[in-house]
């Protein structure tokens, strides 16, 4: 914790140009840091828990050339409203933006992102729409779970698998249209999406997991392609 003893005192922070790396936990729990954090050019990776618990941080400007956002880098930044994701970025870490409750949008396109790790955007309660990056093939577990304002998801053309609980309790999603690349929808992937009304499955779908759409009470059970594997309780609690 580079600024650990200053955590409750610092309200502003300006990083010097010329730095190329930042240590883990450097600004964690700086609860009064109420500013836009500008990461200088030359920094290529944000470390684990860099700004975790900076509850008043409201904006972060990330540099061109950044390739990774580390695990829990901005987790618990309750007032964080806006983050730019540079085109160079290919990985967003585990719980990187977990519980950023004021984050309304995140521009994942156009970027080079190959990996969005587990629970990266879980409980981003103001997030309203998502366009998945074109190179993403697997969507990790719980990645957008409990994003209760989420209404629109634009799936990319290469996505093959949606992980367990990926959109669990995203209660404002109303319609899902999957591209022909999708093969697997994981357990509880869309469970508790109470306002989901329409789902269109492509013929490429091979498996729908256990409780995948459980308690989607507005959803009328859709038609399925032949030879699809459907898990137990996949559509329990939906309309007949």
């Amino acid at each position: 914790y580079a600024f650990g003893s200053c955590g409750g005192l610092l309200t502003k922070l300006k990083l010097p140009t010329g730095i190329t790396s930042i240590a883990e936990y450097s600004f964690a729990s700086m609860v009064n840091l109420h500013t836009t954090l500008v990461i200088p050019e030359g920094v290529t990776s944000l470390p684990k828990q860099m700004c975790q618990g900076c509850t008043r941080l409201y904006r972060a400007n990330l540099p061109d050339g950044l390739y990774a956002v580390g695990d829990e880098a901005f987790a618990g930044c309750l007032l964080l409203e806006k983050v730019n994701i540079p085109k160079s970025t290919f990985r967003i870490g585990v719980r990187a933006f977990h519980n950023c409750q004021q984050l309304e949008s995140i521009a994942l396109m156009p970027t080079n992102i190959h990996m969005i790790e587990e629970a990266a955007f879980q409980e981003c309660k103001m997030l309203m729409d998502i366009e998945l990056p074109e190179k993403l093939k697997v969507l990790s577990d719980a990645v957008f779970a409990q994003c209760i304002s989420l209404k629109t998801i634009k799936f990319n053309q290469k996505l093959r698998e949606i992980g367990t609980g990926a959109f669990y309790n995203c209660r404002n999603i109303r319609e899902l249209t999957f591209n022909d690349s999708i093969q697997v929808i994981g357990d509880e992937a869309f469970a508790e999406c109470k306002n989901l009304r329409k789902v269109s499955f492509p013929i490429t779908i091979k498996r729908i997991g256990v409780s995948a759409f459980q308690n989607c009470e507005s959803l009328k059970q859709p038609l399925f392609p032949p030879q699809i594997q459907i898990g137990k309780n996949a559509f329990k609690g939906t309309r007949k």
Side-chain angles (χ1 to χ4, degrees), residues 221-233:
Q221 289 192 15
L223 298 175
F224 309 110
Q227 299 180 331
I228 186 173
Q229 179 185 344
I230 300 176
K232 183 178 181 181
N233 295 329

Side-chain angles (χ1 to χ4, degrees), residues 67-72 85-86 89-98 103 106-122 124 127 129-145 147 150 153-156 159 161-167:
Y67 64 81
V69 179
D71 297 349
E72 300 183 312
I85 304 294
T89 305
F90 73 81
R91 176 183 180 268
I92 295 178
V94 175
R95 296 167 59 93
F97 295 94
H98 177 263
L103 189 64
I106 188 81
L108 300 176
M109 284 286 287
T111 66
N112 198 39
I113 292 174
H114 287 66
M115 294 180 288
I116 303 178
E117 303 284 6
E118 181 178 344
F121 296 96
Q122 185 175 9
C124 290
L127 194 63
D129 57 83
I130 300 162
E131 182 177 1
L132 295 179
E134 60 183 15
K135 296 184 179 180
L136 190 70
K137 294 181 179 180
V138 177
L139 200 56
S140 298
D141 297 350
V143 65
F144 294 105
C147 292
L150 185 63
I153 309 163
K154 186 175 181 180
F155 295 102
N156 60 317
L159 188 69
E161 181 175 347
I162 296 174
T164 298
F167 294 94

Side-chain angles (χ1 to χ4, degrees), residues 137-189:
K137 294 181 179 180
V138 177
L139 200 56
S140 298
D141 297 350
V143 65
F144 294 105
Q146 296 171 296
C147 292
I148 58 175
S149 297
L150 185 63
K151 292 182 178 180
T152 306
I153 309 163
K154 186 175 181 180
F155 295 102
N156 60 317
Q157 295 288 344
K158 294 185 178 180
L159 188 69
R160 296 195 306 252
E161 181 175 347
I162 296 174
T164 298
F167 294 94
Y168 178 87
N169 196 29
C170 291
R171 62 185 70 163
N172 274 304
I173 297 173
R174 286 169 169 75
E175 183 173 346
L176 296 170
T177 302
F178 299 106
N179 292 317
D180 289 343
S181 58
I182 196 72
Q183 297 179 20
V184 177
I185 296 175
D187 299 347
E188 298 187 318

Side-chain angles (χ1 to χ4, degrees), residues 26-67:
S26 285
F27 317 118
S29 300
M30 294 177 65
V31 295
N32 286 316
L33 188 64
H34 189 57
T35 189
T36 296
L37 181 64
V38 179
I39 305 297
E41 298 285 339
V43 176
T44 57
S45 180
L46 302 186
K48 178 180 179 181
Q49 296 183 14
M50 179 185 73
C51 290
Q52 184 188 37
C54 292
T55 54
R56 300 189 69 202
L57 182 69
Y58 60 85
R59 187 167 293 186
N61 290 343
L62 309 184
D64 293 336
L66 187 80
Y67 64 81

